[in-house]
Amino acid sequence: PAILFDLDGTLTDSGEGIINCVLPALAHYGITPANRESLRYFVGPPLRDSFLKAGVPAKKVEEAIAIYRSRYVPIGMFENHPYDGIRDLLAELKSRGHQLYVATSKPENMANAILDKFELSQHFDLICGATMDDTRDSKDKVIAYLLQQIGHQAAVMVGDTSYDVIGAAAHKIPTVGVSWGYGTVEDLSKAGAIAIVNSPAELLAALAE
């Protein structure tokens, strides 16, 4: 089948850069988190949802996103690295004839820049992300857009959060969860992941099944 990959927390460990950009945005509104670890929930979901969860007033969320992106675009998105084993996993899947895609709620231009930077783009047939105007801002909308481009073929999603599982399920696509990202095994299981793996090697074996 075709394989759809989430980006943040699945292909690359982007937490450092995201949190480094969240902190000044929250500070602008006088919000002080308990610690950096408490902001892990910002990795993966749409920024709007996460800033609301952090306590930013709804009418200030767009401003908070602008403050975040003022650092993220030039610096934060490259405070990031592919997880160990991901390069080999993608190369092996391509050698087996799979079509590989990225479906991320990160803005598409940023996703492309990150994947180009880490020389991962060549493994993917198509990279789909959110739009800057928020008309395509959730995982299910991104997957819907991707399916419009490639047609509704047999597919499986790979992701680290319940957002991936739920977004894929909206299109009757099963999800294999990965435990090395920013979601929890419990949340992945509750959302309906068909399997949860602990390493790229385990993921390769699960996809082969």
Side-chain angles (χ1 to χ4, degrees):
I3 303 171
L4 284 54
F5 282 90
D6 173 50
L7 176 55
D8 293 335
T10 301
L11 296 174
T12 69
D13 187 354
S14 53
E16 178 186 359
I18 289 173
I19 292 171
N20 285 347
C21 299
V22 167
L23 286 168
L26 293 181
H28 183 77
Y29 302 101
I31 300 171
T32 304
N35 50 54
R36 290 178 61 90
E37 194 71 9
S38 69
L39 297 175
R40 287 173 61 90
Y41 63 86
F42 269 90
V43 184
L47 281 173
R48 178 173 285 96
D49 296 348
S50 297
F51 275 120
L52 286 171
K53 183 176 179 179
V56 174
K59 64 182 180 181
K60 297 291 187 180
V61 165
E62 294 304 321
E63 182 183 50
I65 292 173
I67 295 169
Y68 170 93
R69 286 179 176 161
S70 69
R71 184 186 186 280
Y72 186 77
V73 173
I75 302 171
M77 66 179 173
F78 301 124
E79 295 173 324
N80 190 357
H81 63 271
Y83 287 104
D84 290 343
I86 287 296
R87 296 181 191 280
D88 291 342
L89 168 72
L90 296 176
E92 179 61 24
L93 290 172
K94 289 299 287 186
S95 76
R96 296 183 183 189
H98 289 283
Q99 290 182 301
L100 306 183
Y101 304 98
V102 171
T104 174
S105 55
K106 181 183 293 300
E108 192 170 295
N109 61 332
M110 298 180 192
N112 276 293
I114 291 165
L115 291 165
D116 286 346
K117 168 73 173 179
F118 298 119
E119 299 181 346
L120 297 177
S121 297
Q122 70 269 21
H123 297 295
F124 296 102
D125 297 273
L126 185 64
I127 296 164
C128 290
T131 52
M132 296 297 287
D133 64 2
D134 298 321
T135 55
R136 189 168 73 236
D137 60 350
S138 63
K139 187 57 61 82
D140 65 306
K141 289 180 181 178
V142 170
I143 293 174
Y145 173 72
L146 190 154
L147 293 175
Q148 288 172 6
Q149 313 308 306
I150 68 173
H152 288 258
Q153 54 185 287
V156 62
M157 181 77 199
V158 177
D160 68 309
T161 72
S162 59
Y163 286 86
D164 300 310
V165 183
I166 295 166
H171 302 280
K172 298 181 171 58
I173 295 173
T175 298
V176 175
V178 302
S179 66
W180 58 77
Y182 287 80
T184 67
V185 169
E186 181 182 12
D187 285 346
L188 286 167
S189 181
K190 284 182 177 179
I194 59 169
I196 299 173
V197 298
N198 301 307
S199 69
E202 284 188 25
L203 177 56
L204 183 63
L207 291 172
E209 294 176 5

